[in-house]
């Protein structure tokens, strides 16, 4: 079979309003079709459904009859319903044109219409997947924040009169994230390849739970370091797996909103960590010489991990993972549980398979995929974007507050119990203000949320930092008020932008065959700089004072604005093919275009000048399928 080769189309501008895309259509020649001249099939392209094949769709160069035959071929090869997959293949070629397809039943059209018009037209099993991912995120959040309350106590017993106690405290607090950065995140590809997504989540949570319990039975600082380092094995693998699992199960129309639930429920877990610190604050030692309350704080983080372990057996495996293992009928069964309509499940199964076949490298070795992460421009730019959002999630300064807010508030003038209450308020704001991002991330996009919030985060960190300059004796209420206002407003803005974006963006930035390795790289970046923050803060605060340290992170928020402006392409609402085109543009070209666009927008909106639009940044090339498997599709007969 060969693709049509003589129907070049003039470049046309994308829909008004984005100015980024210029779409062209080109053809790719593949081997000659065995039994029928392609021009005969091409002459059948006449129905409205065929005419509506979408730009950016890899099947758009083929007629409806051709893709239906491809669907039959795929289904017959893997023992599935050939006619269902024939119809599904036509829908996957033109997802918006189903009303013009006479071969679809009325029930199928109603189901597809509900899917298109009702955002939450999803089955119970998909809600179960969402609940699993949400609770797994809470595991991470609670693991992170219980140390906040424990830090008020364990240094008194384990670090008293210890040389460089501030550095040791930072090392102990940051030990799980050190493990994530240097070891556990890089093993997630191995775990996922052999266990699958959901069982990787199960065992990573089991390790996290054991690490939490172990932390409650330690007898010196290095024993606590080892226990928390062990816990990091579970934290790193969990954080690299859950967003990818969610992205592979969730329909693209709600992908951004639901994948970002990872960060939302991480914030919920952080808040529950503060609740645990408050709940156990007044627990007496009961004969435990080095204190019992902080041990219960650390151990309590095992609770959400055990909940996740109970959820795992009741959710389907990732259909993409099953397909990568050659288990296509099981992948379809998984999607039947994750979609409301069989036609939708078959459509997504078929189109996902087509894309995986085009990549033709999802079974490559870890080292080959790791090399291609940096040697191929499309992958390198995706990795750069993921690195920026993950790096800035840490160096915006949020986890300094998450880990040390209690000691920061004590320095502000609070008592210990009041500092824990103030930390709980910080946790409440952290997840409450993630709700606006849940509602806007798929509407306004990832770039917009970051560009809007980074300058505000810088301002509010400066407010908090300069609050420490107010004399505590002369104006204690003014000092407290300014510090709390700065930290709380910073938390609210963070949760609406840089909080939810990174894991969503990282799950989207890599092609399917690189997703595991890409997520390993992205999460290792996040956890490495997380460790740097946790390790360096006690010493930084002692050296720079709180004012200098807060100003340091405020400056990084300004830098983050320009990193996003120059090097972060938008991923909202784009197909895989469009993302390939977006990330294939050179980083320098992207930076120049976005800088010029920022200046043009300032002139249009502030100086009220009539500035023409720039030429489109991305040119989308519509390519035909090149995988030779489809060459013999005409040999599959269709019997009425």
């Amino acid at each position: 079979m060969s693709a049509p080769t003589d129907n070049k189309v003039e470049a046309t501008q994308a829909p008004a309003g984005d100015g980024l895309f210029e779409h062209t259509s080109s053809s790719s020649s593949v081997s000659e079709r065995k039994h029928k001249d392609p021009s005969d099939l091409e002459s059948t392209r006449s129905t409205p459904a065929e005419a509506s094949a979408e730009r950016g769709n890899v099947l758009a160069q083929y007629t409806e009859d051709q893709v239906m035959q491809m669907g039959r071929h795929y289904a017959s090869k893997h023992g599935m319903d050939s006619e269902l997959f024939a119809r599904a293949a036509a829908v996957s070629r033109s997802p918006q044109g189903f009303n013009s397809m006479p071969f679809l039943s009325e029930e199928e059209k109603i189901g597809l219409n509900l899917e298109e018009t009702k955002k939450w037209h999803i089955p119970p099993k998909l809600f179960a997947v969402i609940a699993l991912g949400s609770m797994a995120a809470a595991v991470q959040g609670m693991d992170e924040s219980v140390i906040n309350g424990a830090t008020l106590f364990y240094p008194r017993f384990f670090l008293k009169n210890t040389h460089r106690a501030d550095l040791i405290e930072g090392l102990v607090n940051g030990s799980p994230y050190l493990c994530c950065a240097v070891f556990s995140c890089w093993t997630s590809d191995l775990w996922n390849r052999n266990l699958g997504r959901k069982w990787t989540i199960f065992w990573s949570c089991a390790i996290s739970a054991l690490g939490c319990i172990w932390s409650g039975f330690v007898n010196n600082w290095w024993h606590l370091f080892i226990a928390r380092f062990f816990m990091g094995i579970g934290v790193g693998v969990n954080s690299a797996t859950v967003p990818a699992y969610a992205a592979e199960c969730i329909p693209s129309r709600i992908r951004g909103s639901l994948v970002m639930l990872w960060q939302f429920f991480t914030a919920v877990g952080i808040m529950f960590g503060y609740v645990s610190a408050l709940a156990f604050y007044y627990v007496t030692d009961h004969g435990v010489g080095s204190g019992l309350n902080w041990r219960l704080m650390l151990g309590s983080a095992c609770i959400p991990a055990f909940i996740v372990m109970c959820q795992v057996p009741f959710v389907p495996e990732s259909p993409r993972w099953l397909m990568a293992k050659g288990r296509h009928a099981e992948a379809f069964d998984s999607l039947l549980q994750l979609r409301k309509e069989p036609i939708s499940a078959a459509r997504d199964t078929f189109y996902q398979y087509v894309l995986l076949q085009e990549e033709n490298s999802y079974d490559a070795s870890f080292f080959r995929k790791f090399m291609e992460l940096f040697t191929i421009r499309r992958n390198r730019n995706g990795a750069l974007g993921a690195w920026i959002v993950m790096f800035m999630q840490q160096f915006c300064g949020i986890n300094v507050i998450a880990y040390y807010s209690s000691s920061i508030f004590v320095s502000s003038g609070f008592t210990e119990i009041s500092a824990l209450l103030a930390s709980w308020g910080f946790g409440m704001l952290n997840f409450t203000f993630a709700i606006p991002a849940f509602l806007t991330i798929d509407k306004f996009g990832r770039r917009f949320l970051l560009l809007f919030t980074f300058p505000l985060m810088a301002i509010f960190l400066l407010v908090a930092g300069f609050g420490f300059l107010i004399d505590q004796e002369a104006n204690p209420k003014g000092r407290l008020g300014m510090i709390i206002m700065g930290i709380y407003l910073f938390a609210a803005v963070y949760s609406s932008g840089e909080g939810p974006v990174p894991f969503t963006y990282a799950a989207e930035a890599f092609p399917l065959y690189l997703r595991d390795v890409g997520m390993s790289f992205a999460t290792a970046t996040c956890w490495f700089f997380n460790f740097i923050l946790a390790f360096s803060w006690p010493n930084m605060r002692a050296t720079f004072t709180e004012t200098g340290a807060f100003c340091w992170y405020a400056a990084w928020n300004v830098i983050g604005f320009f990193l996003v402006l120059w090097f972060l392409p938008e991923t909202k609402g784009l197909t895989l093919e469009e993302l390939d085109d977006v990330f294939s543009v050179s980083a320098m070209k992207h930076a120049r275009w976005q800088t010029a666009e920022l200046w043009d927008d300032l002139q249009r909106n502030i100086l009220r000048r009539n500035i023409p639009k720039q030429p489109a940044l991305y040119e989308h090339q519509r390519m035909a399928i090149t995988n030779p498997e489809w060459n013999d599709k005409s040999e599959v007969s269709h019997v009425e």
Side-chain angles (χ1 to χ4, degrees):
M1 186 205 77
S2 64
T5 58
D6 57 352
N7 56 333
K8 302 272 183 175
V9 179
E10 291 295 320
T12 57
Q13 197 69 23
D18 67 24
L20 297 176
F21 278 96
E22 182 177 89
H23 292 268
T24 65
S25 182
S26 63
S27 59
S28 297
S29 179
V30 294
S31 59
E32 291 297 322
R33 198 167 194 267
K34 294 183 180 178
H35 301 283
K36 194 167 184 177
D37 189 286
S39 61
D40 296 338
L41 283 175
E42 185 64 24
S43 65
T44 66
R45 186 182 299 211
S46 58
T47 69
E50 290 175 343
S52 65
E54 294 184 355
R55 291 179 296 187
N57 190 309
V58 75
L59 297 170
Q61 286 279 327
Y62 297 92
T63 66
E64 192 172 85
D65 287 346
Q66 285 178 306
V67 295
M68 292 181 75
Q69 194 72 344
M70 292 162 70
R72 292 188 185 100
H73 169 77
Y74 171 66
S76 297
K77 182 178 178 180
H78 298 289
M80 298 180 286
D81 186 339
S82 296
E83 285 312 301
L84 172 63
F85 272 84
R87 300 193 301 274
V91 176
S92 71
R93 174 185 174 274
S94 179
Q96 306 300 319
F98 58 86
N99 278 322
S100 302
M101 297 177 182
F103 44 80
L104 294 179
S105 69
E106 195 62 29
E107 291 77 11
E108 288 174 331
K109 290 181 179 179
I110 291 172
L112 290 169
N113 182 65
L114 284 172
E115 179 185 77
E116 187 67 28
T117 56
K118 304 293 185 183
K119 186 175 182 179
W120 301 108
H121 182 67
I122 58 178
K125 280 294 183 182
L126 189 51
F127 279 113
V129 168
I130 295 165
L132 172 70
S134 300
M135 187 56 64
V139 171
Q140 174 188 308
M142 198 165 178
D143 286 343
E144 290 184 53
S145 62
V146 287
I147 195 65
N148 192 303
T151 300
L152 295 174
F153 301 100
Y154 83 82
R156 301 175 186 174
F157 303 108
F158 293 162
L159 301 179
K160 190 175 181 180
N161 301 322
T162 302
H163 180 63
R164 298 314 305 266
D166 54 349
L167 291 180
I168 294 176
E169 179 185 346
L171 183 65
V172 170
N173 291 357
S175 55
Y177 322 123
L178 178 63
C179 176
C180 293
V182 302
F183 174 68
S184 63
C185 287
W186 298 106
T187 66
S188 65
D189 180 66
L190 179 66
W191 285 66
N192 280 274
R193 194 181 328 123
N194 290 286
L195 297 178
R197 300 280 193 239
K198 72 174 192 175
W199 291 110
T200 294
I201 295 169
F202 178 92
W203 289 111
S204 65
C205 287
I207 292 173
S208 292
L210 289 174
C212 293
I213 295 169
W214 185 0
S215 298
F217 289 93
V218 298
N219 53 13
N220 52 53
W221 73 261
W222 55 264
H223 193 183
L224 181 57
F225 170 85
I226 294 172
R228 286 178 56 77
F229 190 92
F230 174 80
M231 183 181 74
I233 298 174
V235 171
V237 174
N238 187 50
S239 64
T241 302
V242 175
Y245 175 64
E248 291 168 358
C249 293
I250 294 170
S252 59
R253 70 185 185 278
I254 54 175
R255 182 187 64 209
S257 296
L258 294 186
V259 175
M260 72 139 284
L261 285 177
W262 168 263
Q263 184 61 35
F264 179 82
F265 279 91
T266 297
V268 171
I270 289 172
M271 185 270 295
F272 279 125
Y274 296 137
V275 170
S276 173
L278 284 167
F280 295 118
Y281 179 82
Y282 286 113
V283 172
T284 58
D285 292 349
H286 291 286
V288 179
S290 52
L292 180 61
N293 55 356
W294 64 269
R295 296 176 185 274
L296 293 174
M297 293 176 192
L298 295 180
S300 65
C302 72
I303 296 171
F306 284 129
I307 295 174
V308 173
M309 293 167 67
C310 294
Q311 290 176 284
V312 165
F314 304 102
V315 297
E317 183 54 86
S318 160
R320 185 267 177 188
W321 183 87
L322 292 167
M323 193 170 288
K325 293 294 183 180
R327 295 154 61 177
H328 296 268
E330 292 178 61
F332 176 52
D333 289 340
S334 179
L335 278 166
L336 280 173
Q337 299 176 67
L338 297 169
R339 301 293 183 267
K340 271 280 192 180
E341 312 297 333
I343 188 71
S344 301
R347 174 202 62 201
D348 291 351
T349 302
F350 175 74
Y351 195 59
Q352 179 174 278
Y353 178 66
V354 169
L355 297 178
L356 284 170
Q357 287 296 96
E358 286 305 289
E359 289 179 354
N360 200 31
S361 53
Y362 56 81
D363 56 350
S365 69
F366 173 86
F367 295 103
R368 177 185 163 188
K369 289 187 282 189
F370 183 78
M371 291 298 295
E372 290 185 0
L373 190 63
F374 303 103
T375 57
I376 297 173
R377 178 191 282 174
R378 181 263 178 267
N379 301 335
R380 185 170 61 247
N381 287 342
L384 176 62
W387 185 90
I388 287 170
V389 292
M390 289 297 193
F391 167 75
M392 285 309 309
Q393 188 177 64
Q394 302 308 315
F395 263 61
C396 71
I398 186 66
N399 280 331
V400 163
I401 302 170
Y403 303 153
Y404 294 103
S405 62
S406 296
S407 57
I408 290 171
F409 286 132
V410 167
S411 298
S412 307
F414 278 119
T415 62
E416 283 185 349
I417 190 64
S418 296
L420 288 173
L421 283 168
S423 296
W424 175 77
F426 165 79
M428 288 289 291
L429 284 171
N430 201 13
F431 87 84
T432 300
F433 279 87
I435 296 173
F438 178 79
L439 300 174
T440 59
I441 192 169
D442 283 322
K443 181 177 181 180
F444 296 113
R446 290 62 161 150
R447 272 176 57 87
F448 174 83
L449 292 181
L450 296 178
L451 293 174
F452 179 75
T453 55
F454 269 126
L456 294 176
M457 287 194 291
I459 292 170
F460 295 137
L461 279 181
L462 291 174
V463 170
F466 288 129
F468 284 97
L469 297 179
I470 298 174
D471 187 85
Q472 187 168 344
E473 299 296 330
N475 190 4
K477 291 184 178 179
R479 176 187 171 94
L480 280 175
M482 191 167 175
I483 294 170
I484 291 174
M485 182 182 70
I487 289 176
Y488 280 8
L489 290 176
F490 169 79
V493 173
Y494 165 85
S495 296
S496 300
E498 179 58 16
V501 167
F503 280 91
T504 302
Y505 194 91
E508 298 170 331
F510 303 102
L512 292 177
Y513 85 99
L514 274 179
R515 183 168 291 155
D516 289 337
V517 175
M519 283 301 294
S520 295
F521 167 76
T523 52
T525 297
C526 178
W527 292 120
F528 174 76
F529 289 106
N530 193 317
F531 167 73
I532 294 297
L533 258 71
F535 175 70
S536 63
W537 175 257
N539 190 51
M540 180 181 287
R541 183 176 58 183
T543 305
F544 291 171
T545 74
E546 283 87 351
T547 299
F550 273 76
C551 289
W552 164 260
Y553 289 114
W556 275 108
N557 280 282
V558 175
I559 295 171
F561 173 88
F562 288 101
L563 289 175
V564 170
L565 174 69
W566 291 332
F567 303 118
L568 202 75
E570 181 57 75
T571 60
K572 173 191 68 124
L574 300 180
T575 67
L576 177 66
E577 294 72 43
E578 287 171 332
L579 285 176
D580 284 342
D581 295 326
V582 165
F583 285 113
S584 293
V585 172
S586 74
M588 289 302 104
K589 180 178 179 181
H590 186 274
R592 288 193 298 269
W593 194 95
Q594 295 291 359
T595 301
E597 188 69 9
L598 176 65
W599 175 240
D600 288 351
D601 284 341
L602 291 174
Q603 292 185 85
R604 291 188 196 104
N605 299 319
I606 296 178
L607 303 179
R608 298 297 180 182
R609 294 178 180 173
N610 186 18
I611 305 296
K613 287 278 188 181
Q614 295 187 84
L617 176 58
Y618 310 122
E619 181 179 290
H620 183 72
Q621 300 291 329
R622 193 186 306 167
M623 303 299 288
I625 293 173
T626 59
N627 194 282
E629 174 181 340
W630 305 109
N631 294 349
D632 63 350
K633 66 180 183 296
S634 60
E635 294 178 353
V636 180
S637 61
H638 166 48
V639 180
E640 293 289 347

